[in-house]
Amino acid sequence: MDAGRLNQTLSEMAARAMREALGLESPNPELRPATDARFGDYQINGVLPLAKELKENPRKLAEKVVAALDTGGICLAPEIAGPGFINLRLDPAWVATALGAAAADARLGVAPVGDPQSIVIDFSSPNVAKRMHVGHLRSTVIGDALVRTLKFLGHTVVGDNHLGDWGTQFGILIWAWKRERDEAALAADPIGELERLYKLGTERGKADPEVAEACRQELAKLQAGDAENKALWERFVAISKEAAATVYERLEVEFDAWHGESFYHDRLHGVVEGLLERALAVETQGAIGIFFDEPGLPETPYLIRKSDGAFLYATSDIATVEYRLEAYGADRIIYVVDVRQSDHFRQLFATIRKMGYDVKMEHVGFGMMLGADGRPFKTRDGGTVRLDSLLDEAEARILPLVTERWPDASEEEQRAIARKVGSGAVKYADLAQNLTTDYKFDWDKLLAADGNTGPYLQYTLVRCASVFREHVARFGAEFAVDGSPLRLEADEEKELAFFLVRLGDTLERVGEQLRPHILCEYLYALARKFNAFYAKCSILGADDEATRRSRLTLVQATYRTFEIGLSCLNIPRVSRM
RNA sequence: GCGCCUGUAGCUCAGUGGAUAGAGCAGCGGCCUUCUAAGCCGUAGGUCAGAGGUUCAAGUCCUCUCAGGCGCGCCA
């Protein structure tokens, strides 16, 4: 029995019962977590819709299903309620045994999936010659969380940083570099100088058509393979990657591939020719584009070649899909990109379907980051907020609290904790909200130690760690879980234990729906249940040894759940704060 | 003009067609002699933007209206 995926296990059992009792081929049991604790832990809703179809009283149908239902000891006897719901209660004895055993397992009983998929996740993707700013935060943090969660579930995942390292901006940059670069500034702050040059080149180009033409010439030379320009381009890319790497290091984000747009450069010509040959793309006003006649898709064509012969973003994205199919045998490709690009992705996905490829493609689109005032998040003078300064500020705001709470730690330790709590808070605030809407960034809210915040979860983990430290102090040895059943007596113990067995269900849902906030909600609810248990039940001071061992095992299971959950979200763990 | 997204408690947000819509913050009232009080417990707060419709059942699905955000051929 897979104790890690209860929803799936019980759903299969319910489906079997419905098949046998009602003679249906593929019934949908609609098994869900109960909407209210009074109704038990899970409910089967699938009988109700069948009443009309089978022309029978829904409660009678439910009775037949219940008679055929065998949960193998996971649940107590099912109850029929209301118009025909079947309510399932987990058997406390089963929970006590299953969780007692799972606490000894590093994966808390959540086995890797039996049929792993090959999944590519395209995320972060900063542009060359631009410093990473808050606009990159959501893609980076959400993409990273999806990579880690899907990997934990057992899939083969490639997290790919699809850098914007090719395109018209390089003509401008090369032009400005050749005339305006400041070597001193370049040595002191390479990416800052590139950013300045790019801005300068863009302004000059707008003001002066001759400059714009000169930029195009530089671009043409680069594309033709001119040695000097190619060397410059390589240098720009190296500087930009290095700057991005510093931010990734602070966020502890890693990629499996860094295949920027330039990586696909050689394929673009073939992509366009292939689409023309198959008449999927046509010439339109001198350019080449693909037209769609599908509801929900823009009427404007998806352009893959400009009238001047240059390729576009779309061309490169098509080539990228083909590469991912060839190189990774991708079953699923996920783009974690700003929702404003949803038209582009709808057209891309439609193109891939027209080309006949069989791959599941999803756009995880997220909203903008707004300030607490509801307007786009900017610095006081209206500039974009740099990602590194955002992390600096988080750290600076947390540090006084750490020094106050833990004055005897070394300054180095205090800074290390402030760094982890600060970046964890920033990341968690981003992950905890549903993706689709714009997200309001509010320092006071995200750094608060209560409510649904990173610090609250980290603090809860600290409490678990603290119990184990105190155990060593009092009993002279580390506590070791032995896998024996728990003893669940207090309401707080039961609630905690019954919730801990839902980790697998939760991770499964995140993997399906690609919404990390589902995991955040779960961990937050878990933290609340743990803290209620912690306040009510003395752990080390329990009345007898058996209760103490059982409670310590509960702490251990909670600790492991946080380790797994926070590591999937990539929120740093601390053992003190 | 066309398309996409959003509208739930004073504020910030959850809510998988299912039973009496939930959290946090802010407010009010309690709890440290005891494993970290960055915590816990209690209390109060709702025309789910509005109107129709589908359904045994609608905050959730469909249509329209209103309000806000975003996007709409050779940028990425």
Side-chain angles (χ1 to χ4, degrees), chain A residues 339-352:
Chain A
V339 74
R340 284 178 293 187
Q341 292 187 39
S342 57
D343 279 349
H344 163 76
F345 286 111
R346 269 192 273 267
Q347 287 185 312
L348 173 66
F349 300 168
T351 301
I352 298 302

PDB file of all heavy atoms in Angstrom, chain A residues 339-352:
ATOM      1  N   VAL A 339       2.444  36.409 -17.627  1.00  0.00           N
ATOM      2  CA  VAL A 339       1.164  36.114 -18.282  1.00  0.00           C
ATOM      3  C   VAL A 339       0.908  36.998 -19.505  1.00  0.00           C
ATOM      4  O   VAL A 339       0.122  36.654 -20.378  1.00  0.00           O
ATOM      5  CB  VAL A 339       0.002  36.245 -17.259  1.00  0.00           C
ATOM      6  CG1 VAL A 339      -0.301  37.709 -16.942  1.00  0.00           C
ATOM      7  CG2 VAL A 339      -1.245  35.528 -17.764  1.00  0.00           C
ATOM      8  N   ARG A 340       1.602  38.123 -19.573  1.00  0.00           N
ATOM      9  CA  ARG A 340       1.392  39.011 -20.720  1.00  0.00           C
ATOM     10  C   ARG A 340       1.805  38.364 -22.023  1.00  0.00           C
ATOM     11  O   ARG A 340       1.445  38.801 -23.100  1.00  0.00           O
ATOM     12  CB  ARG A 340       2.179  40.318 -20.516  1.00  0.00           C
ATOM     13  CG  ARG A 340       1.508  41.217 -19.516  1.00  0.00           C
ATOM     14  CD  ARG A 340       2.302  42.465 -19.283  1.00  0.00           C
ATOM     15  NE  ARG A 340       3.567  42.172 -18.618  1.00  0.00           N
ATOM     16  CZ  ARG A 340       4.393  43.102 -18.167  1.00  0.00           C
ATOM     17  NH1 ARG A 340       4.100  44.368 -18.316  1.00  0.00           N
ATOM     18  NH2 ARG A 340       5.521  42.766 -17.571  1.00  0.00           N
ATOM     19  N   GLN A 341       2.589  37.293 -21.928  1.00  0.00           N
ATOM     20  CA  GLN A 341       3.011  36.629 -23.157  1.00  0.00           C
ATOM     21  C   GLN A 341       2.109  35.454 -23.523  1.00  0.00           C
ATOM     22  O   GLN A 341       2.494  34.602 -24.325  1.00  0.00           O
ATOM     23  CB  GLN A 341       4.462  36.178 -23.012  1.00  0.00           C
ATOM     24  CG  GLN A 341       5.400  37.367 -22.963  1.00  0.00           C
ATOM     25  CD  GLN A 341       6.851  36.964 -23.001  1.00  0.00           C
ATOM     26  OE1 GLN A 341       7.224  36.048 -23.713  1.00  0.00           O
ATOM     27  NE2 GLN A 341       7.670  37.649 -22.220  1.00  0.00           N
ATOM     28  N   SER A 342       0.925  35.410 -22.945  1.00  0.00           N
ATOM     29  CA  SER A 342       0.082  34.234 -23.171  1.00  0.00           C
ATOM     30  C   SER A 342      -0.335  34.080 -24.629  1.00  0.00           C
ATOM     31  O   SER A 342      -0.448  32.965 -25.118  1.00  0.00           O
ATOM     32  CB  SER A 342      -1.133  34.263 -22.258  1.00  0.00           C
ATOM     33  OG  SER A 342      -1.843  35.454 -22.463  1.00  0.00           O
ATOM     34  N   ASP A 343      -0.539  35.187 -25.341  1.00  0.00           N
ATOM     35  CA  ASP A 343      -0.875  35.076 -26.768  1.00  0.00           C
ATOM     36  C   ASP A 343       0.242  34.378 -27.535  1.00  0.00           C
ATOM     37  O   ASP A 343      -0.010  33.497 -28.355  1.00  0.00           O
ATOM     38  CB  ASP A 343      -1.117  36.464 -27.379  1.00  0.00           C
ATOM     39  CG  ASP A 343      -2.521  36.984 -27.085  1.00  0.00           C
ATOM     40  OD1 ASP A 343      -3.356  36.186 -26.606  1.00  0.00           O
ATOM     41  OD2 ASP A 343      -2.772  38.176 -27.318  1.00  0.00           O
ATOM     42  N   HIS A 344       1.455  34.788 -27.245  1.00  0.00           N
ATOM     43  CA  HIS A 344       2.611  34.173 -27.903  1.00  0.00           C
ATOM     44  C   HIS A 344       2.617  32.662 -27.683  1.00  0.00           C
ATOM     45  O   HIS A 344       2.821  31.890 -28.617  1.00  0.00           O
ATOM     46  CB  HIS A 344       3.904  34.798 -27.377  1.00  0.00           C
ATOM     47  CG  HIS A 344       5.128  33.994 -27.675  1.00  0.00           C
ATOM     48  ND1 HIS A 344       5.695  33.954 -28.928  1.00  0.00           N
ATOM     49  CD2 HIS A 344       5.870  33.163 -26.900  1.00  0.00           C
ATOM     50  CE1 HIS A 344       6.753  33.141 -28.903  1.00  0.00           C
ATOM     51  NE2 HIS A 344       6.872  32.647 -27.681  1.00  0.00           N
ATOM     52  N   PHE A 345       2.380  32.255 -26.426  1.00  0.00           N
ATOM     53  CA  PHE A 345       2.445  30.820 -26.141  1.00  0.00           C
ATOM     54  C   PHE A 345       1.269  30.062 -26.734  1.00  0.00           C
ATOM     55  O   PHE A 345       1.439  28.945 -27.209  1.00  0.00           O
ATOM     56  CB  PHE A 345       2.574  30.575 -24.636  1.00  0.00           C
ATOM     57  CG  PHE A 345       3.948  30.906 -24.139  1.00  0.00           C
ATOM     58  CD1 PHE A 345       4.160  31.998 -23.315  1.00  0.00           C
ATOM     59  CD2 PHE A 345       5.038  30.157 -24.549  1.00  0.00           C
ATOM     60  CE1 PHE A 345       5.443  32.319 -22.891  1.00  0.00           C
ATOM     61  CE2 PHE A 345       6.327  30.478 -24.135  1.00  0.00           C
ATOM     62  CZ  PHE A 345       6.525  31.561 -23.290  1.00  0.00           C
ATOM     63  N   ARG A 346       0.096  30.675 -26.742  1.00  0.00           N
ATOM     64  CA  ARG A 346      -1.043  30.003 -27.388  1.00  0.00           C
ATOM     65  C   ARG A 346      -0.723  29.734 -28.858  1.00  0.00           C
ATOM     66  O   ARG A 346      -1.021  28.663 -29.383  1.00  0.00           O
ATOM     67  CB  ARG A 346      -2.306  30.858 -27.254  1.00  0.00           C
ATOM     68  CG  ARG A 346      -3.103  30.527 -26.003  1.00  0.00           C
ATOM     69  CD  ARG A 346      -4.477  31.172 -26.060  1.00  0.00           C
ATOM     70  NE  ARG A 346      -4.420  32.518 -25.531  1.00  0.00           N
ATOM     71  CZ  ARG A 346      -4.675  32.819 -24.257  1.00  0.00           C
ATOM     72  NH1 ARG A 346      -5.025  31.881 -23.411  1.00  0.00           N
ATOM     73  NH2 ARG A 346      -4.600  34.062 -23.842  1.00  0.00           N
ATOM     74  N   GLN A 347      -0.101  30.719 -29.488  1.00  0.00           N
ATOM     75  CA  GLN A 347       0.248  30.529 -30.902  1.00  0.00           C
ATOM     76  C   GLN A 347       1.365  29.504 -31.060  1.00  0.00           C
ATOM     77  O   GLN A 347       1.335  28.698 -31.991  1.00  0.00           O
ATOM     78  CB  GLN A 347       0.655  31.870 -31.527  1.00  0.00           C
ATOM     79  CG  GLN A 347      -0.542  32.792 -31.737  1.00  0.00           C
ATOM     80  CD  GLN A 347      -0.159  34.075 -32.465  1.00  0.00           C
ATOM     81  OE1 GLN A 347       0.816  34.722 -32.109  1.00  0.00           O
ATOM     82  NE2 GLN A 347      -0.911  34.439 -33.479  1.00  0.00           N
ATOM     83  N   LEU A 348       2.320  29.541 -30.155  1.00  0.00           N
ATOM     84  CA  LEU A 348       3.400  28.554 -30.224  1.00  0.00           C
ATOM     85  C   LEU A 348       2.842  27.138 -30.071  1.00  0.00           C
ATOM     86  O   LEU A 348       3.155  26.244 -30.858  1.00  0.00           O
ATOM     87  CB  LEU A 348       4.440  28.818 -29.127  1.00  0.00           C
ATOM     88  CG  LEU A 348       5.537  27.757 -28.978  1.00  0.00           C
ATOM     89  CD1 LEU A 348       6.438  27.705 -30.222  1.00  0.00           C
ATOM     90  CD2 LEU A 348       6.382  28.006 -27.737  1.00  0.00           C
ATOM     91  N   PHE A 349       1.979  26.937 -29.090  1.00  0.00           N
ATOM     92  CA  PHE A 349       1.433  25.606 -28.839  1.00  0.00           C
ATOM     93  C   PHE A 349       0.603  25.141 -30.032  1.00  0.00           C
ATOM     94  O   PHE A 349       0.663  23.977 -30.432  1.00  0.00           O
ATOM     95  CB  PHE A 349       0.576  25.591 -27.560  1.00  0.00           C
ATOM     96  CG  PHE A 349       1.333  25.980 -26.300  1.00  0.00           C
ATOM     97  CD1 PHE A 349       0.655  26.253 -25.120  1.00  0.00           C
ATOM     98  CD2 PHE A 349       2.719  26.073 -26.295  1.00  0.00           C
ATOM     99  CE1 PHE A 349       1.342  26.616 -23.959  1.00  0.00           C
ATOM    100  CE2 PHE A 349       3.423  26.443 -25.155  1.00  0.00           C
ATOM    101  CZ  PHE A 349       2.730  26.714 -23.978  1.00  0.00           C
ATOM    102  N   ALA A 350      -0.157  26.068 -30.605  1.00  0.00           N
ATOM    103  CA  ALA A 350      -0.967  25.723 -31.773  1.00  0.00           C
ATOM    104  C   ALA A 350      -0.073  25.337 -32.946  1.00  0.00           C
ATOM    105  O   ALA A 350      -0.380  24.414 -33.708  1.00  0.00           O
ATOM    106  CB  ALA A 350      -1.876  26.895 -32.149  1.00  0.00           C
ATOM    107  N   THR A 351       1.045  26.023 -33.090  1.00  0.00           N
ATOM    108  CA  THR A 351       1.988  25.707 -34.164  1.00  0.00           C
ATOM    109  C   THR A 351       2.555  24.301 -33.976  1.00  0.00           C
ATOM    110  O   THR A 351       2.622  23.511 -34.925  1.00  0.00           O
ATOM    111  CB  THR A 351       3.153  26.728 -34.164  1.00  0.00           C
ATOM    112  OG1 THR A 351       2.616  28.034 -34.349  1.00  0.00           O
ATOM    113  CG2 THR A 351       4.150  26.426 -35.267  1.00  0.00           C
ATOM    114  N   ILE A 352       2.936  24.003 -32.742  1.00  0.00           N
ATOM    115  CA  ILE A 352       3.523  22.690 -32.459  1.00  0.00           C
ATOM    116  C   ILE A 352       2.496  21.579 -32.738  1.00  0.00           C
ATOM    117  O   ILE A 352       2.831  20.522 -33.268  1.00  0.00           O
ATOM    118  CB  ILE A 352       4.015  22.630 -30.990  1.00  0.00           C
ATOM    119  CG1 ILE A 352       5.112  23.675 -30.757  1.00  0.00           C
ATOM    120  CG2 ILE A 352       4.509  21.243 -30.620  1.00  0.00           C
ATOM    121  CD1 ILE A 352       6.333  23.547 -31.650  1.00  0.00           C
TER     122      ILE A 352
END
